[in-house]
């Protein structure tokens, strides 16, 4: 049996899908793309081959990107900003029973480690903006807007323990930055203030020091096991499947 095509993993095994980017952030304009993000669960039997299933897949639609569940959880445990925001998108396109369990775990991924990862990402983006100013006399304003949004998100997460994706009443000031209607010196000052506020917030944040890795791992193991048992039911005459699953998975129950 041939391994499944990556696009079929997305089409047939997606457990959670959402819209991200400007539409989720509340910053969309008439020309904004629709960025689709998702999580798929590769069937457990696909891991028994030398050729493992992909950790991520681009497509099949334009502006679509998906992660395999284990990779997604690993990145979320490391407080990857893009992954955490994906879990909190207000624009959910699809969710099944496994996806609902994943969403119920959102709090398990959050910790004060978010400050380090968000700040590190922000620093990298700030260096690129500064290079643009030196080279071209102005930053890429859209990137400046999204950096401000990220810094706000980090500060508010550390203050409240809740990750909010939509920018709310900050939409108009942020769009003014995108359109180059705010002086760079003022934008720099805004960025510096947000970074300072996030630094102050981390010391009294309601978030735990580390994510709940054990809880997430329990979810992943249960999900893999359930997938393996479905393989048994779907392939009652396949001796290899029966021997691997019943000999290894059922013994662990």
């Amino acid at each position: 049996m041939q391994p499944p095509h990556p696009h079929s993993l997305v089409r047939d095994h997606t457990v959670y899908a959402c819209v991200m980017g400007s539409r989720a952030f509340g910053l969309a304009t008439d020309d904004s793309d629709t960025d689709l993000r998702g999580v798929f669960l590769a069937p457990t039997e696909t891991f028994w081959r030398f050729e493992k299933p992909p950790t991520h897949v681009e497509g099949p639609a334009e502006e679509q990107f998906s992660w395999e569940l284990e990779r997604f959880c690993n990145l979320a445990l490391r407080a990857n900003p893009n992954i955490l925001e994906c879990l909190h998108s207000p624009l959910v396109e699809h969710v099944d029973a496994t996806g609902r369990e994943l969403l119920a775990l959102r709090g398990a991924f959050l910790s004060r480690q978010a400050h380090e990862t968000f700040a590190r990402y922000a620093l990298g983006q700030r260096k690129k903006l500064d290079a643009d100013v030196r080279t071209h006399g102005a930053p890429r304003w859209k990137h400046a807007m999204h950096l401000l949004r990220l810094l706000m998100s980090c500060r508010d997460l550390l203050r409240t323990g809740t990750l909010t994706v939509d920018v709310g009443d900050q939409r108009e000031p942020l769009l003014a930055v995108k359109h180059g209607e705010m002086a760079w010196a003022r934008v720099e000052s805004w960025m510096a203030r947000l970074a300072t506020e996030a630094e102050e917030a981390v010391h009294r944040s309601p978030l735990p020091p580390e994510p709940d890795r054990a809880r997430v791992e329990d979810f992943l193991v249960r999900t893999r096991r359930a997938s393996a048992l479905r393989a048994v039911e779907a392939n009652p005459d396949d001796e290899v499947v029966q021997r691997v699953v019943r000999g290894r998975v059922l013994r662990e129950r």
Side-chain angles (χ1 to χ4, degrees), residues 104-165:
L105 283 171
R106 284 184 292 196
F109 294 108
L110 297 178
S111 73
R112 295 178 199 171
Q113 291 179 7
H115 178 252
E116 180 182 352
T117 55
F118 277 57
R120 185 167 61 244
Y121 182 82
L123 178 61
Q125 294 302 303
R126 177 59 192 273
K127 288 180 178 178
K128 293 178 182 179
L129 292 173
D130 289 339
D132 287 338
V133 173
R134 289 193 301 270
T135 304
H136 306 292
R140 285 173 287 183
W141 292 108
K142 181 178 179 180
H143 292 191
M145 174 191 72
H146 282 298
L147 176 51
L148 285 165
R149 184 204 62 76
L150 181 74
L151 289 168
M152 288 179 192
S153 181
C154 178
R155 177 201 61 188
D156 294 344
L157 169 61
L158 294 168
R159 282 178 173 178
T160 68
T162 300
L163 182 58
T164 301
V165 172

Side-chain angles (χ1 to χ4, degrees), residues 174-188:
L174 287 170
L175 287 179
V177 173
K178 178 184 178 181
H179 298 145
E181 297 169 356
M182 188 179 296
W184 175 237
R186 184 178 171 191
V187 173
E188 284 187 300

Side-chain angles (χ1 to χ4, degrees), residues 30-240:
D30 292 340
D31 60 348
S32 294
D33 294 328
T34 299
D35 300 322
L36 302 174
R37 299 292 179 266
V39 182
F40 63 91
L41 172 64
T44 300
E45 65 265 29
T46 62
F47 289 90
W48 300 338
R49 306 173 183 278
F50 286 122
E51 182 181 351
K52 305 303 181 186
T55 59
H56 59 270
V57 175
E58 291 191 49
E62 291 186 15
E63 308 297 336
Q64 183 176 13
F65 192 96
S66 301
W67 296 267
E68 206 283 322
L69 179 65
E70 184 174 343
R71 175 62 172 168
F72 186 87
C73 288
N74 266 317
L75 291 172
L77 286 168
R78 287 152 51 185
N80 179 289
N82 292 325
I83 299 295
L84 291 182
E85 290 181 338
C86 183
L87 272 174
H88 292 79
S89 172
L91 303 177
V92 175
E93 295 283 291
H94 168 80
V95 61
D96 68 3
T98 301
R100 285 190 287 274
E101 277 201 76
L102 176 64
L103 292 180
L105 283 171
R106 284 184 292 196
F109 294 108
L110 297 178
S111 73
R112 295 178 199 171
Q113 291 179 7
H115 178 252
E116 180 182 352
T117 55
F118 277 57
R120 185 167 61 244
Y121 182 82
L123 178 61
Q125 294 302 303
R126 177 59 192 273
K127 288 180 178 178
K128 293 178 182 179
L129 292 173
D130 289 339
D132 287 338
V133 173
R134 289 193 301 270
T135 304
H136 306 292
R140 285 173 287 183
W141 292 108
K142 181 178 179 180
H143 292 191
M145 174 191 72
H146 282 298
L147 176 51
L148 285 165
R149 184 204 62 76
L150 181 74
L151 289 168
M152 288 179 192
S153 181
C154 178
R155 177 201 61 188
D156 294 344
L157 169 61
L158 294 168
R159 282 178 173 178
T160 68
T162 300
L163 182 58
T164 301
V165 172
D166 192 295
V167 300
D169 61 6
Q170 294 301 304
R171 171 182 164 85
E172 294 308 319
L174 287 170
L175 287 179
V177 173
K178 178 184 178 181
H179 298 145
E181 297 169 356
M182 188 179 296
W184 175 237
R186 184 178 171 191
V187 173
E188 284 187 300
S189 177
W190 192 1
M191 289 177 179
R193 184 173 73 253
L194 289 170
T196 298
E197 290 171 350
E199 180 69 36
E200 293 171 348
V202 71
H203 301 295
R204 52 180 181 275
S205 175
L207 291 173
E210 298 180 353
D212 192 342
R213 186 180 182 87
R215 185 178 166 203
V216 175
E217 187 170 57
D218 175 71
F219 159 69
L220 182 63
V221 170
R222 285 189 292 101
T223 301
R224 291 274 192 246
R225 183 175 293 143
S227 173
L229 292 175
R230 286 194 293 271
V232 172
E233 296 169 358
N235 300 278
D237 299 322
D238 191 318
E239 294 183 4
V240 174

